[in-house]
């Protein structure tokens, strides 16, 4: 009997790397993990690989590196080293780091634009020197931290399915949805951002009116993104629709939460209960299939 280790060299490690990346998503985001289950298998793999590599970067900036006792200077060095590793990874066919290996395969397979990942790391570096953003700096930050992620997701979708719609029109929708997701995350994390990380992403004092204006922007951006869903490849539609619906549910819950409950060291982090997530996801997927 032929040993399985002799079959298709490299595929066992490739599969391991993809599974490690999938584990990163399932551990960190139940919402995205749930939505990606609705994607076609190759699309799901590549979206998970993208998520995993940017999540590690986020842990360097905001999480594990700091709790491990690394100094601010060391965190900066770690981020620079990781940025170099990520941006150069597609040029090599093997990496001992499974997340980097998975990401490199996705970047090559989907011909992802290196400039998008470079823009992402530019925004991550800006988090190391917190500032009070104005409209211009916030737009630049959101482009690097979220819009380019939407654009890379679109490239992944198109790699695994054909589209007839104008690419720039689709890119506008991908950017808008990424922007909406990020702004909603700003609002749900505003307590920890201001009291723990000492960051202020919003360009005006946080009041009920300011929150509602930002949520109105998010709603409009979600609308723009959702109008593009029927034009996406079939294997991507249900998953994107589910993610958008989950964030719209989160938006509604943020709007219904008193501002005082969102701020301060004991702030509530608004979330969507698991049974509601399942229902919202099922309804959104059903509508996407019928569209």
């Amino acid at each position: 009997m032929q040993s399985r280790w002799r079959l298709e060299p490299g595929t066992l490690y490739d599969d391991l790397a993809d599974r490690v990346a999938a584990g990163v998503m399932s551990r960190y985001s139940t919402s995205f993990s749930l939505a990606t289950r609705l994607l076609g298998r190759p699309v799901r793999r590549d979206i998970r690989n993208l998520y995993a590599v940017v999540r590690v970067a986020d842990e360097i900036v905001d999480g594990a590196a700091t709790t491990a006792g690394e100094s601010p200077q060391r965190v900066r060095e770690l981020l620079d080293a990781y940025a170099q590793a990520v941006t150069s990874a597609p040029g090599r066919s093997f990496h001992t780091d499974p997340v980097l290996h998975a990401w490199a395969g996705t970047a090559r397979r989907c011909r992802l634009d290196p400039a998008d990942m470079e823009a992402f790391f530019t925004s991550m570096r800006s988090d190391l020197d917190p500032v009070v953003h104005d409209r211009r700096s916030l737009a630049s930050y959101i482009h690097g931290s979220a819009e380019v992620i939407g654009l890379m997701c679109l490239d992944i979708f198109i790699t695994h399915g054909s589209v007839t719609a104008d690419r720039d029109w689709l890119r506008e929708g991908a950017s808008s949805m990424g922007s909406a997701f990020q702004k909603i995350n700003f609002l749900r994390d505003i307590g920890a951002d201001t009291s723990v990380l000492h960051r202020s992403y919003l360009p005006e004092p946080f009041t009920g009116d300011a929150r509602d204006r930002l949520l109105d922007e998010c709603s409009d951006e979600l609308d723009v993104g959702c109008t593009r869903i029927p034009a996406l490849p079939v294997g991507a539609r249900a998953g994107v629709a589910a993610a958008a619906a989950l964030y719209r549910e989160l938006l509604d819950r943020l709007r219904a939460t008193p501002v005082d409950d969102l701020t301060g060291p004991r702030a509530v982090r608004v979330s969507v209960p698991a049974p509601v997530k399942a229902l919202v996801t099922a309804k959104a997927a059903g509508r996407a299939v019928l569209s």
Side-chain angles (χ1 to χ4, degrees), residues 34-41 43-44 47 153-154 156-158 160-165 169-170 177 181 225-246 280-291:
L34 184 61
T36 54
R37 293 176 193 173
L38 301 172
L39 298 170
R41 182 173 294 179
V43 183
R44 181 167 65 242
I47 292 295
C153 287
L154 177 61
I156 290 170
F157 299 153
I158 293 174
H160 297 292
S162 61
V163 296
T164 58
W169 183 74
L170 291 174
M177 194 167 288
F181 288 1
C226 287
T227 62
R228 276 62 168 177
I229 291 175
L232 293 176
V234 174
R237 293 175 193 169
V240 176
L246 288 169
V280 168
T281 299
K283 288 182 175 180
R287 289 192 296 268
V289 169
L290 296 174
S291 65

Side-chain angles (χ1 to χ4, degrees), residues 188-192 195 259-270:
R188 74 189 306 218
D189 294 330
I190 193 168
S195 63
V259 168
D260 289 345
D261 290 348
L262 296 173
T263 57
R266 296 188 179 182
V268 173
R269 189 174 192 270
V270 175

Side-chain angles (χ1 to χ4, degrees), residues 74-88:
R74 178 57 179 158
V75 169
R76 192 180 302 274
E77 292 169 356
L78 287 169
L79 183 62
D80 286 342
Y82 193 63
Q84 174 61 31
V86 170
T87 54
S88 64

